[in-house]
Amino acid sequence: MKTIQFRQAIAEAMTEEMRRDESIYLMGEEVAEYNGAYKASKGMLDEFGPDRVLDTPISELGFAGIGVGSAMNGNRPIIEFMTFNFALVGIDQIINNAAKIRQMSGGQFNCPIVFRGPTGSAGQLAATHSQAFESWFANCPGLKVVVPSNPNDAKGLLKMAIRDDDPVIFMESEQMYGDKGEVPEGDYTIPLGVAEIKREGKDVTIVSFGKIIKEAYKAADELEKEGISCEIIDLRTVKPMDQEAILKSVKKTNRLVILEEAWPFGNVATEITYLVQSEAFDYLDAPVVKINTADTPAPYSPVLLEEWIPNHKDVIKAVKKVLYK
């Protein structure tokens, strides 16, 4: 094992896959000459040259469309958005073309493409740069949605996403690029659609994904001091979702808290809540509690932002609620 930053894990995954397959290339704003806005493609231009690491104009609709077209013609592009907030400019290409071309062509075309970049709040970046769209993309048939929370998962999942023959939305976080973690030496992959129990427990299940899961770890540490044992599941892949892992855990703990950095209406937590009440209702000893951001655009003020985004105190309160403490 070696210890590397999240950004290095992303760069290693792309680099190793590009060495393996010449049809893979990286395209996006500042990915080449600047080594990536977050240095997640550092050194790749030097190794692969400007034909396979391409800087683009500020035109997400344009380069997303180029990527989709080239994927239909045998390439395997990785399209980086500087933030998924900017992906809204190119969302027509993702939703109406990438996600649908296999079905609409009767299987004559597939679209092996990865759209990747930061998601969610990165601090004081205000309302239009702090949005989490995982549930938006997961709502669309034809797309797979991956949201890793650590360097090991990021590398293994990204390598698998690049090898996938369908479009994958790969969502990271600006606030995780400097995170360090252990990563295996050599080639490895992590299958899409498989969650992982990050912490075993018996009293309550906490389901989360992405950077916000760190708040669940903090809460679990505090609750352990009070004799409360939390089982934490990292979804890793939002779609396809590992329903079996969630249900198995809930049937063991009989209580569920879902932590998600997203607006409260119609999100991933809502889907999980429906899953559990329909498939494991008789195992529940308390209503499911979901924790989301406030139902407002993200504020710029640091005081308001702290209130807006979920934290470990919210998780502790939710866990005690389902335990009737």
Side-chain angles (χ1 to χ4, degrees), residues 5-286:
Q5 290 184 329
F6 192 101
R7 60 167 57 89
Q8 292 173 279
I10 295 293
E12 283 191 5
M14 294 190 292
T15 298
E16 290 173 13
E17 291 305 300
M18 287 174 68
R19 289 172 184 161
R20 187 183 61 84
D21 185 344
E22 291 186 357
S23 70
I24 301 168
Y25 67 91
L26 172 66
M27 179 166 58
E29 297 160 2
E30 299 184 355
V31 299
E33 295 289 345
Y34 192 64
N35 285 309
Y38 311 103
K39 301 299 180 279
S41 54
K42 187 175 181 179
M44 293 180 66
L45 175 64
D46 292 338
E47 178 170 351
F48 299 106
D51 289 338
R52 295 184 67 195
V53 184
L54 293 82
D55 279 331
T56 68
I58 303 174
S59 178
E60 287 78 10
L61 179 64
F63 63 77
I66 291 170
V68 172
S70 70
M72 292 169 60
N73 281 278
N75 293 304
R76 308 184 78 89
I78 305 166
I79 305 300
E80 178 180 308
F81 296 118
M82 197 176 291
T83 160
F84 262 95
N85 296 277
F86 301 161
L88 298 188
V89 183
I91 200 168
D92 177 62
Q93 291 292 341
I94 299 171
I95 300 296
N96 280 327
N97 292 322
K100 296 177 173 60
I101 193 62
R102 182 192 288 273
Q103 186 217 46
M104 292 180 67
S105 69
Q108 295 179 81
F109 291 103
N110 63 353
C111 192
I113 187 170
V114 175
F115 297 98
R116 52 158 294 268
T119 183
S121 169
Q124 284 182 268
L125 296 183
T128 61
H129 290 65
S130 304
Q131 302 169 109
F133 295 124
E134 292 89 348
S135 62
W136 285 31
F137 292 110
N139 181 254
C140 180
L143 298 178
K144 298 175 182 177
V145 181
V146 181
V147 193
S149 66
N150 59 76
N152 175 73
D153 290 354
K155 183 175 180 180
L157 290 165
L158 182 53
K159 287 170 71 72
M160 186 61 80
I162 293 169
R163 297 179 190 185
D164 201 286
D165 287 332
D166 291 308
V168 179
I169 308 296
F170 197 93
M171 308 179 91
E172 305 150 12
S173 170
E174 293 171 55
Q175 293 184 325
M176 290 197 302
Y177 284 122
D179 288 1
K180 292 183 178 181
E182 288 190 336
V183 171
E185 298 279 2
D187 183 47
Y188 74 98
T189 59
I190 295 174
L192 306 187
V194 179
E196 183 178 29
I197 297 176
K198 297 294 189 182
R199 181 174 182 142
E200 297 274 356
K202 60 182 177 59
D203 295 325
V204 59
T205 298
I206 303 174
V207 176
S208 189
F209 57 91
K211 79 171 189 290
I212 201 70
I213 200 172
K214 295 177 187 179
E215 300 300 317
Y217 299 146
K218 293 178 189 176
D221 288 339
E222 291 293 318
L223 289 163
E224 188 176 30
K225 298 173 185 176
E226 301 181 34
I228 298 172
S229 173
C230 300
E231 181 148 296
I232 300 176
I233 296 178
D234 187 343
L235 284 182
R236 303 197 294 193
T237 303
V238 169
K239 191 175 184 182
M241 184 183 292
D242 190 348
Q243 298 181 352
E244 183 179 348
I246 298 168
L247 293 172
K248 184 177 179 181
S249 180
V250 170
K251 288 177 181 179
K252 178 176 77 169
T253 67
N254 309 118
R255 293 171 174 86
L256 175 62
V257 171
I258 309 160
L259 172 63
E260 178 185 8
E261 183 185 343
W263 296 308
F265 188 92
N267 50 39
V268 176
T270 305
E271 182 65 22
I272 296 171
T273 301
Y274 176 77
L275 166 70
V276 171
Q277 72 84 27
S278 62
E279 299 292 333
F281 180 80
D282 291 339
Y283 290 88
L284 288 173
D285 288 340

